[in-house]
Amino acid sequence: MSNTSFVALFPLFIGLSVVLFSLGVIGVLVRRNAIIIFMSVELMLNAANLAFIAFARSFNQIDGQVFVFFVMVVAAAEVAVGLALIVAIFRSKQSINVDDINQLKG
Amino acid sequence: MTGEQLLQGLWAILPEIVLLLLGILVITIDLIKPGQRKGRTFGALTIGGALVTTLIIIYQAINQPPEPVLAFAGMVRIDLFVQMFRLMFSVALLLAALISLDVKGVKTNGEFYGLLIFSTVGMGFMAASNNIVMLYVGLETTSIALYMLAGFIRESTVSTEAGMKYFLFGAFTSTILLYGLSLLFGFTGGKTGYAEIAATLQQLAAQQETLPLMVALVLIAVGFGFKVAAVPFHMWTPDVYEGSPTPITAFISVASKAAGFAVFIRFFLIVFGPLQEQWIGFVALLAAVTMTLGNLVAMQQRNFKRMLAYSSIAQAGYLLIGVTAVGELGTAAVLFYLATYVLTNIAAFAVAEIATNATGSELIKDMAGLSRRAPGIAFALLAAMLSLAGVPPLAGFFGKFYVFQAAIGYTNPTGQNSLVWLAILGVLNSIVALYYYLMVLKVTYVDRAEGEDVPLTTSGGFKLALATTVAGMIFFGIFATPLYTLSTLAAQAVR
């Protein structure tokens, strides 16, 4: 992408990132299925990644792009742990609806 | 990077390296050793490794140069402040391993100790971070290991539920934190180091362009608020504390909270230092709501671990007062408070585990007769409850005293003190809190129960952990000065 077209598109990248992040937050708060909540969290992570890359490109700072690699690694680790926990909860309760996960309360 | 710089960097993070190797060793032995002969190997290894790490940290702290050591191109920064936090983490690891030795489902499991060690490594890097990349990676290393530990007992429905809740809340809030970091990265023109960000924020604050920065600040505060269990990001706390294996609850409630405060202080005092006037009111409100809600809800609890969870929320509120009273006095108070809190809360949870083992119930009313069944353990509970309530001559009293003193001594740049109300609210709150701490003692010391003549036997790990923590609480309650001097020196190193 040439530099002039990037400058023109920069607000769109940031706008898209904000939209993705908001969709993710709404998804976490509204949906009740643990896997969909988790997918929404991944959407938020990618919104942050997009913002990092757009800022990194616009300031010519490589740090932002490096950060994205770290975020990807962390996200992969989080997926492994998260899905394992979801499987464990499904085995014990036969459901991954967060409203059914209510044994602990008081 | 020259060879000498590399060596200096490796020396700076030696405690983390030792712990990392120990964790890998524990997991490897777990894989190759036949199941029936595992016994206490891993617990002993963890305790030994934590002791060695503690000694290394003490040695490093004594030989700490006056200037902070920046290693790996400024990624980590080691000063006395970091050393003091590392010391708390390694002591917490040591005590958590001690009280895990006889807990069903975890005692002979190498993965359990391995994860405990890895999460301590993450905490060390969190406290030492000097760059937002390091901060995020350290925070996630800590959290991911703790999610697994909270849900560690797969056969138990409450443990998996605790792990699941911790994971969903943790992943959600840490992603909000990450988005805040990305905005901060953008608003400062692509800076990742703390010092560079602070310098840029200084300029932006001078130009009165702080509104977008406040958005980033609030998003970042959500992530830190989750770590320290501050209201309104506390919803996970009671469920996770109740459902997790008790040693893990103890570890989360002290080490993870301390790590949260380490980054909270570093980030808000240094990076957001130029925006101080804007955030002080916000954090003061957070402190006020956190301690009040924590104490009021704790009073209504019947489950002991759940009550301790709300009590730990309230303690986070008191600690936030120290953060709000920006400066040496406030930071030193937080450090002192956290150091004593590590000892106190681990003792409280150790007693919770012993009582649950003996009676099969976590309810406070079932702890009746404990003082006659096991006078020593009841005394440890007495010390822990009174220290949490802030009764002299126990260490918790001085923690509260220094925090409130810092709030009263605080003056803002215009020379006024705007935090006296917070100190008064804090004192009122500690009076309210006395009620539920004393309630527990009333049940254990006054109430009678069937089978109270049967003596309760406890294993060596619990006894050693309780003896150490109680000795610490009493020692630092009577001789508070050495620890407070260390806290002051550490607080001076933050700048």
Side-chain angles (χ1 to χ4, degrees):
Chain A
M1 198 190 303
S2 72
N3 220 20
T4 42
S5 63
F6 177 79
V7 170
L9 286 173
F10 176 69
L12 289 180
F13 283 124
I14 300 301
L16 178 63
S17 150
V18 171
V19 170
L20 282 177
F21 183 76
S22 314
L23 282 177
V25 171
I26 294 169
V28 171
L29 298 177
V30 172
R31 300 305 289 264
R32 301 277 61 134
N33 183 312
I35 289 189
I36 299 203
I37 293 179
F38 191 37
M39 276 166 59
S40 305
V41 170
E42 293 295 311
L43 200 61
M44 291 161 64
L45 275 174
N46 285 318
N49 279 350
L50 182 60
F52 266 120
I53 292 180
F55 284 130
R57 172 74 197 263
S58 89
F59 300 124
N60 276 325
Q61 289 280 344
I62 201 76
D63 300 27
Q65 302 200 11
V66 174
F67 202 151
V68 170
F69 280 106
F70 281 100
V71 174
M72 283 171 166
V73 173
V74 165
E78 225 167 41
V79 168
V81 171
L83 291 182
L85 282 168
I86 291 175
V87 170
I89 204 103
F90 183 76
R91 282 200 182 140
S92 68
K93 295 197 196 290
Q94 306 301 317
S95 160
I96 50 167
N97 187 319
V98 286
D99 289 333
D100 296 335
I101 307 176
N102 56 3
Q103 200 176 342
L104 294 166
K105 60 185 166 200
Chain B
M1 189 186 271
T2 64
E4 199 185 335
Q5 276 175 322
L6 181 68
L7 276 182
Q8 197 202 7
L10 290 178
W11 168 248
I13 60 163
L14 189 62
E16 279 77 28
I17 295 176
V18 170
L19 282 178
L20 193 66
L21 293 177
L22 177 72
I24 294 170
L25 182 72
V26 165
I27 292 212
T28 318
I29 295 179
D30 187 37
L31 280 176
I32 55 180
K33 205 170 175 186
Q36 64 277 19
R37 283 199 282 124
K38 281 174 182 164
R40 291 229 173 110
T41 321
F42 307 118
L45 267 176
T46 311
I47 292 167
L51 264 179
V52 171
T53 316
T54 312
L55 293 178
I56 293 175
I57 297 168
I58 292 173
Y59 178 78
Q60 281 189 342
I62 292 170
N63 297 303
Q64 180 71 35
E67 286 299 302
V69 179
L70 295 178
F72 299 104
M75 275 283 172
V76 295
R77 168 188 159 133
I78 309 293
D79 50 28
L80 212 52
F81 176 77
V82 176
Q83 299 290 19
M84 195 166 165
F85 271 106
R86 277 174 163 177
L87 203 57
M88 289 182 215
F89 303 147
S90 66
V91 170
L93 172 69
L94 183 72
L95 293 170
L98 262 181
I99 63 174
S100 308
L101 287 177
D102 293 288
V103 175
K104 222 175 74 192
V106 303
K107 55 184 173 187
T108 58
N109 197 316
E111 287 166 7
F112 177 83
Y113 293 101
L115 287 171
L116 203 59
I117 295 165
F118 289 141
S119 111
T120 316
V121 173
M123 288 171 191
F125 280 123
M126 258 171 98
S129 67
N130 194 32
N131 187 301
I132 54 174
V133 182
M134 196 71 232
L135 165 73
Y136 182 70
V137 174
L139 189 124
E140 287 292 332
T141 312
T142 310
S143 301
I144 292 177
L146 287 178
Y147 303 149
M148 285 187 261
L149 287 170
F152 198 81
I153 306 180
R154 271 170 311 195
E155 304 78 45
S156 148
T157 49
V158 286
S159 176
T160 44
E161 182 174 332
M164 181 79 193
K165 284 183 172 163
Y166 195 27
F167 169 73
L168 285 180
F169 272 108
F172 182 50
T173 49
S174 74
T175 311
I176 294 178
L177 167 85
L178 178 71
Y179 202 71
L181 292 179
S182 82
L183 292 183
L184 194 64
F185 177 76
F187 295 151
T188 53
K191 305 281 191 297
T192 53
Y194 285 3
E196 292 91 42
I197 296 178
T200 317
L201 290 192
Q202 189 86 55
Q203 294 166 4
L204 289 173
Q207 297 159 9
Q208 304 288 329
E209 289 174 9
T210 55
L211 192 65
L213 291 173
M214 285 310 282
V215 177
L217 187 146
V218 170
L219 293 179
I220 291 170
V222 172
F224 293 166
F226 164 80
K227 268 274 158 222
V228 304
V231 176
F233 320 110
H234 70 289
M235 290 86 88
W236 59 278
T237 320
D239 291 350
V240 172
Y241 279 29
E242 187 185 337
S244 307
T246 310
I248 293 310
T249 311
F251 192 67
I252 292 176
S253 79
V254 296
S256 173
K257 198 186 283 275
F261 272 104
V263 287
F264 209 124
I265 292 174
R266 244 295 134 72
F267 221 85
F268 274 66
L269 262 55
I270 302 304
V271 179
F272 286 139
L275 302 175
Q276 218 184 84
E277 282 166 53
Q278 280 89 345
W279 65 254
I280 278 195
F282 169 68
V283 180
L285 189 69
L286 216 60
V289 177
T290 304
M291 60 188 173
T292 313
L293 190 127
N295 279 326
L296 291 182
V297 184
M299 280 199 282
Q300 301 153 15
Q301 300 304 318
R302 283 173 301 160
N303 181 309
F304 186 47
K305 275 168 88 178
R306 221 176 163 80
M307 188 213 89
L308 283 177
Y310 281 104
S311 131
S312 99
I313 295 174
Q315 307 284 340
Y318 302 131
L319 283 158
L320 279 173
I321 299 180
V323 180
T324 318
V326 184
E328 261 169 53
L329 222 53
T331 310
V334 173
L335 284 164
F336 183 92
Y337 201 122
L338 275 172
T340 57
Y341 177 74
V342 168
L343 301 175
T344 312
N345 235 29
I346 287 193
F349 279 111
V351 175
E353 176 66 26
I354 294 169
T356 311
N357 261 340
T359 61
S361 153
E362 290 181 351
L363 297 182
I364 295 174
K365 69 175 165 58
D366 292 329
M367 291 168 76
L370 190 70
S371 66
R372 279 169 284 268
R373 293 188 68 183
I377 288 157
F379 177 73
L381 181 70
L382 175 84
M385 290 294 115
L386 293 183
S387 181
L388 281 174
V391 175
L394 291 156
F397 166 72
F398 283 104
K400 282 209 174 59
F401 175 75
Y402 290 134
V403 165
F404 298 150
Q405 191 192 35
I408 289 171
Y410 167 79
T411 48
N412 64 9
T414 53
Q416 289 161 324
N417 185 335
S418 45
L419 291 178
V420 174
W421 66 274
L422 200 57
I424 294 173
L425 188 67
V427 172
L428 290 177
N429 257 297
S430 2
I431 298 169
V432 171
L434 254 181
Y435 165 76
Y436 61 84
Y437 291 127
L438 291 182
M439 237 8 227
V440 176
L441 295 180
K442 182 217 155 218
V443 171
T444 46
Y445 274 91
V446 180
D447 289 3
R448 317 286 300 201
E450 281 173 45
E452 63 180 29
D453 329 316
V454 189
L456 190 101
T457 47
T458 331
S459 58
F462 282 115
K463 277 185 190 151
L464 190 57
L466 285 177
T468 323
T469 47
V470 170
M473 276 182 259
I474 295 174
F475 179 81
F476 291 127
I478 297 169
F479 307 103
T481 322
L483 186 60
Y484 189 66
T485 314
L486 177 65
S487 309
T488 312
L489 287 175
Q492 281 161 355
V494 181
R495 293 279 149 203

